[in-house]
């Protein structure tokens, strides 16, 4: 059984949410200030790392390791040979594109020099039965003499989760559930243009008609019976273009002959976005976190449906 010893995040709001749900406030500060002695004092054997993705995104400048936001990640890796108690396992997550960066090359080099074997993946929740397209890069690393249950995949970048499930691969990879399975409310909008009293709070999630007129052709629209929606970014609810899918609250008889206005489009609620990230039902935001802040935090989140089996595989011992 693994026990979380410490969490690190520089974002004040993210730490508020973490503390609200787990009863412990993460270390708040730049991890570049941590020394080998600091890390040794934690006496941990697993590092879970999710460094800033901006240096590697397609929309960014793609400065990679030259981006100041990449420095802390490389520095903490370079500390490993200085440690009296180096980690036995590492888990690294980032955006697709990280795997072709010079930061990735440096990471692999440092891990090899410190006797780690790696298995890398690019996986999406769609491959785990969740109708959410969010491909991400993952690196699992174990320090010798530890080894993976499926060592034949060492040093490889895989696009399927087969090593995670072994012979039960086909049984585990179920068909995606429909989006309605992840919604707070699935009833259609009423004829009067508003939701029922029970769903009245959803009115604030309706997409304004002026945005539909301007950006309608660029919107990704899904229905309750859809089995795929786009990745939600931190700009969701602030913008409608390229930030995530919008939900049609009315199911038209003929979809290709229905206007966008007739679909009564709305944003997914923060709870629904959390559900699509496979967060537990108990997860909640502190009351002081605003709606836009909730979307921004969720836009930087990981999919539990993907990460959980990856960690289970990482922690499993080879027979």
């Amino acid at each position: 059984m693994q026990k979380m010893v410490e969490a690190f995040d520089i974002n004040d709001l993210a730490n508020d949410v973490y503390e609200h749900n787990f009863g412990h406030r993460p270390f708040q500060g730049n991890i570049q200030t941590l020394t080998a002695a600091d890390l040794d004092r934690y006496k941990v054997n697993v590092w879970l790392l999710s460094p800033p993705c901006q240096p590697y995104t397609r929309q960014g400048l793609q400065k990679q390791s030259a981006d100041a936001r990449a420095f802390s990640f490389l520095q903490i890796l370079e500390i490993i040979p200085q440690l009296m108690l180096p980690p036995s396992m590492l888990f690294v997550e980032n955006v697709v594109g990280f795997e072709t960066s010079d930061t990735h090359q440096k990471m692999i080099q440092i891990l090899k020099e410190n006797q780690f074997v790696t298995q890398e993946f690019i996986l999406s929740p769609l491959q785990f039965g969740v109708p959410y397209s969010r491909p991400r890069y993952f690196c699992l690393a174990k320090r010798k003499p530890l080894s993976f249950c499926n060592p034949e995949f060492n040093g490889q970048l895989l696009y399927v989760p087969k090593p995670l499930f072994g012979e039960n691969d086909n049984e585990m990879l179920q068909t995606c559930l429909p989006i309605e399975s992840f919604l707070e409310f699935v009833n259609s909008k009423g004829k009067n243009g508003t939701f029922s009293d029970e769903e009245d709070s959803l009115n604030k999630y309706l997409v304004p008609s002026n945005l539909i007129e301007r950006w309608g052709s660029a919107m990704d629209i899904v229905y309750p019976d859809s089995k795929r929606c786009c990745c939600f970014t931190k700009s969701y609810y602030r913008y409608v273009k390229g930030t995530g899918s919008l939900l049609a609250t009315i199911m038209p008889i003929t979809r290709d002959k229905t206007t966008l206005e007739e679909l009564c489009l709305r944003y997914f609620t923060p709870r629904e976005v959390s559900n699509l990230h496979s967060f537990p039902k108990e997860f909640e935001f502190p009351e002081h976190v605003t709606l836009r802040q909730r979307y921004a935090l969720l836009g930087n989140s990981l999919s539990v449906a993907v990460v959980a089996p990856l960690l289970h595989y990482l922690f499993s011992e080879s027979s």
Side-chain angles (χ1 to χ4, degrees):
M1 176 69 70
Q2 299 290 340
K3 177 184 177 182
M4 187 66 67
V5 175
E6 185 58 280
F8 302 82
D9 203 301
I10 202 168
N11 186 301
D12 193 47
L13 275 174
N15 288 337
D16 287 347
V17 177
Y18 188 99
E19 183 177 17
H20 181 78
N21 285 275
F22 297 104
H24 169 75
R25 190 166 189 84
F27 174 94
Q28 187 163 340
N30 193 328
I31 61 174
Q32 285 181 261
T33 63
L34 296 174
T35 65
D38 293 329
L39 294 172
D40 275 331
R41 277 194 287 270
Y42 287 115
K43 299 179 180 180
V44 298
N45 63 343
V46 183
W47 288 3
L48 311 178
L49 306 172
S50 184
C53 64
Q54 293 90 339
Y56 320 105
T57 57
R58 289 174 295 179
Q59 294 84 359
L61 298 176
Q62 297 184 330
K63 295 173 67 176
Q64 303 182 25
S65 64
D67 192 309
R69 290 166 291 192
F71 295 170
S72 59
F73 175 62
L74 289 172
Q75 179 171 317
I76 201 167
L77 291 178
E78 290 168 352
I79 287 178
I80 291 177
Q82 306 172 31
L83 297 173
M84 297 294 293
L85 300 170
S88 301
M89 292 176 273
L90 271 77
F91 174 94
V92 180
E93 177 273 343
N94 216 285
V95 294
V96 175
F98 176 84
E99 75 282 2
T100 61
S101 69
D102 61 347
T103 305
H104 171 267
Q105 293 176 347
K106 293 178 181 180
M107 176 190 75
I108 295 297
Q109 179 183 349
I110 292 172
L111 292 177
K112 285 183 177 179
E113 290 173 351
N114 288 277
Q115 303 302 305
F116 283 89
V117 293
T118 62
Q119 293 188 11
E120 301 172 273
F121 300 84
I122 290 180
L123 300 174
S124 171
L126 290 169
Q127 296 166 286
F128 297 81
V130 180
Y132 185 37
S133 179
R134 190 182 178 88
R136 284 295 184 271
Y137 164 85
F138 302 95
C139 176
L140 310 185
K142 284 190 172 185
R143 186 162 55 87
K144 298 175 183 178
L146 296 181
S147 61
F148 287 99
C149 294
N150 298 292
E152 65 270 24
F153 298 110
N154 287 354
Q156 294 187 34
L157 173 62
L158 304 175
Y159 293 83
V160 293
K162 184 176 181 179
L164 311 185
F165 304 125
E167 296 179 357
N168 296 321
D169 183 38
N170 292 331
E171 296 179 15
M172 294 296 294
L173 299 182
Q174 54 188 299
T175 302
C176 278
L177 295 170
I179 285 175
E180 64 184 354
S181 301
F182 299 81
L183 301 179
E184 285 188 271
F185 303 103
V186 296
N187 293 340
S188 296
K189 192 178 176 186
K191 294 181 180 180
N192 61 354
T194 60
F195 291 99
S196 64
D197 291 340
E198 181 183 6
E199 302 170 338
D200 185 57
S201 60
L202 283 178
N203 282 315
K204 62 185 174 184
Y205 299 107
L206 291 175
V207 181
S209 57
N210 65 313
L211 292 182
I212 295 175
E213 293 174 5
R214 183 176 182 182
W215 299 109
S217 61
M219 293 176 175
D220 181 76
I221 299 168
V222 297
Y223 301 85
D225 62 354
S226 298
K227 294 190 176 182
R228 182 190 184 100
C229 67
C230 290
C231 175
F232 298 101
T233 74
K234 66 179 182 180
S235 296
Y236 191 66
Y237 195 74
R238 292 176 58 203
Y239 305 102
V240 295
K241 181 181 178 181
T243 62
S245 298
L246 300 171
L247 181 69
T249 61
I250 287 182
M251 294 284 285
I253 298 176
T254 306
R255 293 182 182 180
D256 58 351
K257 295 183 180 180
T258 304
T259 66
L260 296 183
E261 288 79 6
E262 292 175 313
L263 295 177
C264 298
L265 301 176
R266 73 165 174 88
Y267 297 94
F268 284 79
T269 69
R271 179 66 257 180
E272 292 166 346
V273 177
S274 300
N275 292 343
L276 287 163
H277 280 93
S278 302
F279 285 11
K281 294 180 180 179
E282 298 78 18
F283 171 81
E284 61 182 15
F285 287 97
E287 291 186 4
H288 71 273
V289 181
T290 68
L291 186 60
R292 288 192 176 186
Q293 290 171 337
R294 296 180 187 201
Y295 283 121
L297 291 168
L298 288 168
N300 288 323
S301 298
L302 302 182
S303 168
V304 176
V306 179
V307 171
L310 281 169
L311 289 179
H312 183 269
Y313 177 63
L314 177 65
F315 297 152
S316 298
E317 298 181 3
S318 60
S319 56

